[in-house]
Amino acid sequence: VGKVGIMAGYSARTLYPTYHQMNQPLSYANRYSMDVGNPQLKNKTTHNAVIGAFWNIFQLAVSYDYLHNDILSWGAEMAGQEGVVVRSYINLPKWQRLAVQLSASPKWGVWHGQLSAGYSAQWLTIDTSTGRHKMNKPQFTCSANNAFGFKHGWNANLNARYGSTSDYSNFSYIHPTAILNANVQKSWAKDRFMVRFGVYDIFRQNYTKSRSYSYGYSSYLDDHYQTRSVVLTFRYRLNTTRNKYRGTGAGNSEKQRM
């Protein structure tokens, strides 16, 4: 439409439960919990609709997902064993998600940016032994990837990413995540030889705090990812030939189920 490009699409996909989810025998995890499969699980179906538009340096994407019989990790108290939880899997009858993302790719001098802001939300209500929980808190995200290209083979990158607290599936993420990375590199001989020095997760804010809800219990998770690091990389590229074998990927979906 004029200088504005528009695209739209729809897809439907069916995924089978894994053998682990269906056939896992009752196994001991610890004195408070046991794990077991659910042979009655149904296939999961995902309907996805997406529409996108782009103009000049801007792109807008909106997607909607409708999930039928999504497979959810679930737990309930073991009969006759107070305080012992049996964890298994159930089918969630209905789960809806919406995501909106606006991005831009500006250039100015030696700087090339990839900027984005996003919003995502779900509509989900789950019933537990402590009552009905509405898991509808949306998430706001933003990112800024900044690349600087200088003369004589010098390049630098400064990348930042942020995600707010939110609900996803039967998890409530109660701490925002943020990460800042930076690196500088020098290349020679038409990029055949390269040296890169990078510092990653500079402020050590890449960690997750969440609470999950099931029928018989709720659990709290505090994950600190070991992503803070300093990396020095040397690379030399030899002549490469294109792989002409076209038989890759056969049976991957079945192997993933196992």
Side-chain angles (χ1 to χ4, degrees):
V1 181
K3 294 183 179 181
V4 178
I6 298 176
M7 56 82 66
Y10 167 81
S11 65
R13 183 175 60 172
T14 298
L15 294 178
Y16 302 100
T18 66
Y19 296 118
H20 170 81
Q21 292 169 335
M22 293 189 299
N23 297 332
Q24 179 189 1
L26 184 66
S27 61
Y28 177 86
N30 55 57
R31 62 182 297 185
Y32 301 109
S33 62
M34 296 186 179
D35 299 317
V36 67
N38 180 4
Q40 304 300 319
L41 287 175
K42 302 175 183 178
N43 297 338
K44 165 187 172 181
T45 303
T46 302
H47 299 271
N48 170 261
V50 60
I51 185 170
F54 55 91
W55 172 78
N56 200 346
I57 63 170
F58 300 99
Q59 303 89 38
L60 175 67
V62 181
S63 66
Y64 169 78
D65 291 318
Y66 180 91
L67 295 89
H68 178 60
N69 286 331
D70 190 29
I71 298 173
L72 198 68
S73 178
W74 199 250
E77 191 173 65
M78 177 179 283
Q81 296 289 331
E82 185 176 354
V84 178
V85 171
V86 177
R87 296 179 302 196
S88 186
Y89 302 92
I90 63 169
N91 285 113
L92 198 64
K94 181 176 68 173
W95 180 19
Q96 301 176 81
R97 299 188 304 226
L98 175 71
V100 181
Q101 180 164 306
L102 176 65
S103 58
S105 304
K107 292 182 180 180
W108 185 68
V110 299
W111 172 67
H112 180 196
Q114 293 283 343
L115 313 176
S116 69
Y119 167 88
S120 59
Q122 68 174 17
W123 292 271
L124 178 62
T125 301
I126 58 175
D127 293 312
T128 72
S129 58
T130 58
R132 176 165 290 185
H133 291 268
K134 289 188 175 182
M135 313 291 293
N136 299 338
K137 186 174 184 179
Q139 183 184 45
F140 298 91
T141 60
C142 62
S143 66
N145 296 332
N146 305 277
F148 303 88
F150 304 103
K151 295 181 180 180
H152 309 299
W154 285 97
N155 293 278
N157 293 274
L158 181 65
N159 302 327
R161 186 176 72 248
Y162 170 81
S164 70
T165 59
S166 63
D167 291 336
Y168 184 81
S169 184
N170 59 329
F171 286 81
S172 286
Y173 293 91
I174 56 181
H175 189 278
T177 60
I179 189 168
L180 179 66
N181 302 324
N183 67 68
V184 61
Q185 72 177 45
K186 172 73 166 99
S187 59
W188 295 269
K190 296 182 179 180
D191 293 332
R192 290 177 66 102
F193 181 67
M194 181 273 295
V195 177
R196 178 189 294 126
F197 176 76
V199 183
Y200 303 95
D201 193 12
I202 296 174
F203 298 112
R204 204 176 184 181
Q205 290 297 307
N206 187 27
Y207 64 93
T208 299
K209 291 184 179 180
S210 64
R211 183 173 296 278
S212 67
Y213 295 92
S214 294
Y215 181 79
Y217 76 106
S218 66
S219 61
Y220 175 78
L221 181 66
D222 190 345
D223 265 344
H224 286 256
Y225 305 112
Q226 301 301 319
T227 53
R228 192 181 194 185
S229 59
V230 176
V231 180
L232 181 62
T233 304
F234 298 90
R235 187 189 70 191
Y236 182 77
R237 292 197 306 175
L238 301 173
N239 292 332
T240 58
T241 58
R242 184 177 180 182
N243 185 1
K244 297 182 180 180
Y245 177 63
R246 298 184 178 181
T248 59
N252 281 345
S253 60
E254 190 65 19
K255 287 186 288 185
Q256 289 174 356
R257 289 188 69 201
M258 298 179 67

